[in-house]
Amino acid sequence: MNYGLIVIGGGPAGLKAACSAAEKGLKVLIIEREAQLGGILKQCVHDGFGVIRFGEKLTGPEYAYRDITEVKRLGIECLTGTFVTGICDKDGGFVVETTSAQGIRSDFTEKIALATGCRERTPRQVNIHGTRPAGVLAAGACQNFVNLKGLLPGKRAVILGSGDIGLIMARRLTLEGAEVIGVYEAKATPSGLQRNIRQCLDDFGIPLHLKTTVTDVYGDKRVEAVRVSAVDDSMNPVGEGEIVECDLLVVSVGLIPENELAEKLGLQTDPATKGIAVDQYMMSAGKEGVYAVGNALHVHDLVDYVSEGAATAGADAANTRKRSLVKVGAEGLMYVVPQYVDVSDANEKKTFYMRAPRDMAVASVKLYADGELVAERKLKNVKPPEMLRIQFKFRASDSITLRLEEEE
Ligand SMILES: Cc1cc2nc3c(=O)[nH]c(=O)nc-3n(C[C@H](O)[C@H](O)[C@H](O)COP(=O)(O)OP(=O)(O)OC[C@H]3O[C@@H](n4cnc5c(N)ncnc54)[C@H](O)[C@@H]3O)c2cc1C
């Protein structure tokens, strides 16, 4: 079959990109490897989704349901239970290869949106020593067991890492009757949103131990204990630490954009986000016609902004642009997305997403064009876990830089 846009991944990013493209008249196909659409939202039974987009606190499935209803209303074709195994260039477009219970299939599309979400960092990626007993789980996998399969994977849990998923699972496991001994975080400040620290730990009396990590796992068939140790400023364990008895270690040590397909296409990636480098329409800087949206582009903390970026990409898929790209310099920032801007439509308001490298009480983000300050935004209470979203108008120029500066 021939399509105007094939969207790979049926999570909130893929659903919204598909709807926006279909509204512009494109023939769209969504390909999802799981049996149902909705992505990670299917297992997020807590509320807090959609406050910005809908002005309501929805659960993950409720948020996904709204977009799935829209996909159905627009008559968008969906292949579920179908895994994308390869993409290659052909005749100015792309051939997408899939495999499913029905067999192998190839489709042609003019444009592609990569909406494949992200992966969880594993315990092996954070150097925990010991045997490989049962009972060591990534936080998302633990959430899947509890919320989708109705299984409680342990009764006495230690949580390593204070990312949002770990915090949410600390509360979830407690509500399901497990004892959560504590959350251990190697950094000096928590990685999750402030509201999750309050609602998931403080409200349930679960202690958060900063500058502390898990160094060893003990147990043969099943986890019996872990060793927790304080760390120095370079995050190296100091002293002997202490043994904490537990039968479950939940690891929540970060997410990485899922970019296997982007690698197959040889797309330029940004080492800071681990996603591909894009312009303000989320189109790959290196390859026209390929978009990346949602957590496949950069890890978001709020789904509302996932949908916002995906809507921009989907609507743009119906356009033909002659691009004139300028790289966006990022100074004093952990990263900025987009990494490039197409200055052919300068003077229009564009949205930039960025993260600060550390806490700042008062700061400002300044936009420079050809070295001249053209716009500035004051910010209060800046924290790395909370993504910054700033809209700027910029003018056509040869260089654009965003600089984050701490103020007194
Ligand atoms: C545990 C947890 C709690 C969260 N809590 C909140 C919250 O309270 N409030 C909030 O606003 N946000 C929250 N978020 C963030 C928000 O849910 C995510 O940012 C959002 O779901 C990301 O959407 P996505 O579409 O990019 O990715 P996903 O939802 O991960 O969807 C990606 C989809 O792509 C599919 N896929 C991947 N590879 C292939 C392939 N090769 N072929 C076919 N299909 C493929 C996957 O199966 C999946 O369905 C939370 C996230 C998590 C993980």
Side-chain angles (χ1 to χ4, degrees):
M1 296 286 283
N2 286 353
Y3 295 92
L5 177 71
I6 288 186
V7 178
I8 304 169
L15 296 171
K16 189 65 199 169
C19 290
S20 299
E23 277 165 359
K24 294 272 177 187
L26 287 190
K27 186 176 177 199
V28 182
L29 172 69
I30 300 175
I31 302 173
E32 168 56 52
R33 66 184 169 194
E34 292 189 1
Q36 285 173 359
L37 298 173
I40 200 76
L41 296 183
K42 296 195 295 293
Q43 65 184 55
C44 298
V45 300
H46 59 282
D47 74 358
F49 297 83
V51 176
I52 299 163
R53 184 171 164 205
F54 298 113
E56 284 176 69
K57 269 197 202 167
L58 304 173
T59 63
E62 282 170 334
Y63 188 101
Y65 177 76
R66 294 194 180 191
D67 284 331
I68 293 169
T69 306
E70 197 54 14
V71 163
K72 287 188 184 150
R73 188 186 69 77
L74 291 164
I76 296 171
E77 214 180 308
C78 301
L79 290 176
T80 50
T82 305
F83 194 88
V84 174
T85 47
I87 308 175
C88 57
D89 297 85
K90 193 171 182 220
D91 303 336
F94 306 91
V95 171
V96 177
E97 288 159 7
T98 54
T99 176
S100 70
Q102 280 68 48
I104 293 169
R105 167 175 166 158
S106 291
D107 293 279
F108 177 82
T109 181
E110 283 167 30
K111 294 184 177 169
I112 294 178
L114 302 171
T116 46
C118 59
R119 284 187 182 177
E120 296 185 274
R121 245 182 250 272
T122 64
R124 295 281 144 187
Q125 284 169 293
V126 287
N127 288 327
I128 301 174
H129 302 287
T131 47
R132 293 187 178 201
V136 181
L137 284 180
C142 182
Q143 188 180 51
N144 190 289
F145 273 115
V146 177
N147 293 351
L148 292 185
K149 298 190 170 65
L151 300 169
L152 192 59
K155 294 209 171 81
R156 208 174 132 79
V158 162
I159 305 212
L160 172 62
S162 59
D164 287 313
I165 319 177
L167 302 177
I168 284 159
M169 284 320 293
R171 175 177 65 184
R172 190 84 195 116
L173 288 166
T174 307
L175 289 171
E176 291 299 334
E179 182 191 357
V180 178
I181 301 154
V183 175
Y184 297 85
E185 167 61 60
K187 286 189 284 180
T189 52
S191 303
L193 296 175
Q194 216 43 47
R195 75 168 195 215
N196 283 336
I197 302 281
R198 250 187 348 264
Q199 294 171 3
C200 301
L201 301 189
D202 298 350
D203 288 359
F204 290 84
I206 299 169
L208 170 62
H209 305 272
L210 296 170
K211 298 193 83 176
T212 314
T213 193
V214 170
T215 52
D216 299 273
V217 174
Y218 302 102
D220 182 9
K221 287 205 165 68
R222 176 89 208 176
V223 177
E224 288 163 14
V226 296
R227 181 183 292 275
V228 295
S229 305
V231 296
D232 61 19
D233 291 341
S234 316
M235 291 208 197
N236 295 318
V238 286
E240 299 224 325
E242 63 169 310
I243 303 277
V244 178
E245 284 182 15
C246 61
D247 63 0
L248 176 64
L249 172 63
V250 177
V251 182
S252 175
V253 286
L255 302 167
I256 308 169
E258 166 66 78
N259 266 323
E260 230 169 65
L261 294 171
E263 278 165 24
K264 283 190 180 160
L265 281 167
L267 302 181
Q268 178 195 346
T269 51
D270 177 347
T273 58
K274 312 262 186 316
I276 67 169
V278 293
D279 67 16
Q280 68 266 35
Y281 299 99
M282 318 299 160
M283 189 195 276
S284 159
K287 200 174 202 65
E288 301 222 346
V290 181
Y291 297 85
V293 289
N295 280 355
L297 177 59
H298 61 119
V299 175
H300 293 65
D301 33 277
L302 295 179
V303 71
D304 308 65
Y305 294 138
V306 165
S307 303
E308 179 186 65
T312 305
D316 187 63
N319 295 338
T320 314
R321 283 186 285 132
K322 184 132 183 53
R323 295 196 295 175
S324 172
L325 295 185
V326 171
K327 187 154 178 34
V328 180
E331 294 180 5
L333 287 158
M334 209 143 72
Y335 71 74
V336 63
V337 173
Q339 294 85 350
Y340 289 82
V341 284
D342 179 2
V343 290
S344 60
D345 72 346
N347 296 323
E348 293 208 4
K349 226 183 227 177
K350 296 287 175 272
T351 309
F352 293 86
Y353 305 95
M354 60 201 89
R355 280 186 199 272
R358 58 191 164 78
D359 288 8
M360 294 179 194
V362 186
S364 65
V365 175
K366 295 178 177 168
L367 176 75
Y368 294 86
D370 291 332
E372 191 190 323
L373 178 65
V374 289
E376 180 174 357
R377 295 282 183 285
K378 296 266 181 223
L379 303 168
K380 274 192 185 156
N381 222 356
V382 172
K383 291 181 186 301
E386 286 161 28
M387 191 180 75
L388 305 171
R389 171 192 175 273
I390 302 181
Q391 292 190 308
F392 282 120
K393 271 189 187 175
F394 60 85
R395 61 168 200 229
S397 46
D398 294 329
S399 85
I400 289 175
T401 303
L402 281 170
R403 184 185 297 158
L404 176 69
E405 289 175 8
E406 186 165 19
E407 295 188 357
E408 290 300 309

